[in-house]
Amino acid sequence: MTLDRTAFFIDGTWAAPASSDTLQVVSPHTEEVVATVPEGSAADIDAAVVAARRAFDEGPWPRMSPEERIEVMANFSMLYAGKLAEMADLITIEMGSPTSFANLAQAPAPWMMLETFLNIARAFPWEETRPASLGGDVIVRRESVGVVAAIPPWNVPQFTTISKVAPALLAGCTVVLKPAPETPLDTYLMAELLQEAGVPAGVVNIVAAGREVGEHLVAHPGIDKVAFTGSTAAGRKIAAVCGEQLKRVSLELGGKSAAIVLDDADLAATMEGLKFTALMNSGQACVAQTRILASRQNYDAVVDALAETVSGMTVGDPMDPATEVGPLVAQRQQERVEKYIALGQEEGARVVVGGNGMPEGIDRGWYVRPTVFADVDNRMRIAQEEIFGPVLSVIPFDDLDDAIRIANDSEYGLAGTVWTADAEAGLDVARRVRTGTYGVNTYTMDFAAPFGGYKASGLGREFGPEGLAQYTELKSIYPSAPAV
Ligand code: NAD
């Protein structure tokens, strides 16, 4: 079966592209082309925005009741549930996510997100009546924000797409989705499911393209709100354009999260936890715990345990269920990570596992060796900059206050963890670290609770009622009262 596509999903149909340009989807494992799809141009984006604008200004979707939209989206969720394995495979094929992670997080998590957003929408205060301060009542409504430009990255493509499309649609918005050029395939399957579920024409429009076309979409006057996940550098540019145009914007950006290992932590359990939270998706995760903080007296024990754990991880074919670390998304990413590994050595950090060069037994594909650096100072660039690959830095701390100071000494503030036998002490640490999410002896995201970043990790929150609220405008109505 070919994965090639020749059209875009615009206005409820498979529309011919404006140009003959194509995107090649290349397997990160074999370096071979696995699919060709059209590459969107500004003209395709214009057509998609016109369709979304018409569907918002004149179509049925924003005028349906929340309950009616919930019914259609529940249908979508049910259809999505039937395609989890296919969705996971597509994502592994296009960006190399290990199949174990794809079948845990890349496809099932977006579906759980859908189900959670359905429950949130059922309980959401779309319209409420409050006692007015001047007497009588005031009606507060939460209305659709309008036409949404949704721009996800390639690392968790459905996760970051459904986190925008689900709340946007439940709130009555229409959407132009621009998937990353590396990962268009999953969105074709999603489009088929949306169509089958009965989402009206023009409510979701999808044009895969690169950065420049993304910029055109962000600046387009037909867009009311931009929902972006990606790098902090791109987020800053997008925020500037939206600021100038006073467009609503939400940004989920980079991270450099710290895992604080307290001396009383069960080291074996901590290493099992870090294997996932630091190296999930081959280290290509915004919430990855890439700075491991250990006390000076416990430092060598933590470095040794981490070295043993990381060197024992299975690296290889992402389609193999045993694989824990697969290839990186692209050659560009492989080169970027290798540059950081060389930089860490120049900065004086010590490689205890990994280092540059292909993993043993692998001679093609965009692999890097999972790498652990010891003797890292938090001011080094490898400790401050997001590497986005399987590279960890172990940083010593003097005492708890020092650990929290180091954790907070970052331009980012997305996530963090603490590992300890004392749950109360863990909660105390959680309250002191300035990040949008925090885990004690674990890291997870809960779709019922807000997710997002402090500082340069973003603006706004996804998930929870707060994530749905981002797709609404507030309106206060003062009902007519008898003249006094
Ligand atoms: P990226 O910023 O290069 O690209 C992300 C998306 O934005 C792509 O679709 C790209 O084509 C588009 N784009 C880039 N510049 C743009 C611009 N100026 N205007 C409009 N569109 C633009 O990021 P990436 O390399 O694809 O993804 C990795 C980054 O995403 C990492 O920094 C990671 O931390 C971040 N991320 C954050 C979260 C989160 O929830 N906070 C989740 C996943 C990934």
Side-chain angles (χ1 to χ4, degrees), residues 339-350:
K339 249 172 51 196
Y340 273 107
I341 293 175
L343 175 68
Q345 288 169 297
E346 284 162 29
E347 289 183 301
R350 172 168 56 98

Side-chain angles (χ1 to χ4, degrees), residues 9 23 239 388:
F9 187 62
L23 291 168
F388 228 54

Side-chain angles (χ1 to χ4, degrees), residues 239 249-253 452-462 470:
V249 62
S250 46
L251 304 168
E252 294 292 340
L253 309 176
Y454 282 34
K455 303 188 269 181
S457 287
L459 202 65
R461 293 292 183 269
E462 291 191 318
Q470 291 202 145

Side-chain angles (χ1 to χ4, degrees), residues 152-155 178 211 214 228-231 252-254 286 386 451:
W154 47 263
N155 69 318
K178 189 210 74 64
R211 174 165 308 194
F228 174 78
T229 300
S231 60
E252 294 292 340
L253 309 176
C286 54
E386 189 182 44
F451 168 79

Side-chain angles (χ1 to χ4, degrees), residues 256-263 265 267 270-271 274 289-300 302-303 306 373 376-378 383-384 392-410 416-420 429 433 438:
K256 192 76 189 179
S257 299
I260 301 176
V261 183
L262 298 184
D263 289 358
L267 214 47
T270 301
M271 292 305 133
L274 285 179
Q289 310 290 298
T290 49
R291 292 184 295 151
I292 316 295
L293 277 44
S295 75
R296 290 195 188 277
Q297 61 266 28
N298 205 23
Y299 188 78
D300 289 343
V302 171
V303 169
L306 195 62
F373 277 110
V376 179
D377 182 286
N378 195 53
Q384 287 293 323
L392 307 180
S393 293
V394 193
I395 303 169
F397 63 79
D398 296 329
D399 54 23
L400 186 60
D401 285 347
D402 193 38
I404 289 167
R405 180 193 63 76
I406 294 170
N408 285 332
D409 179 14
S410 169
T417 54
V418 60
W419 304 81
T420 173
V429 173
V433 178
Y438 209 83

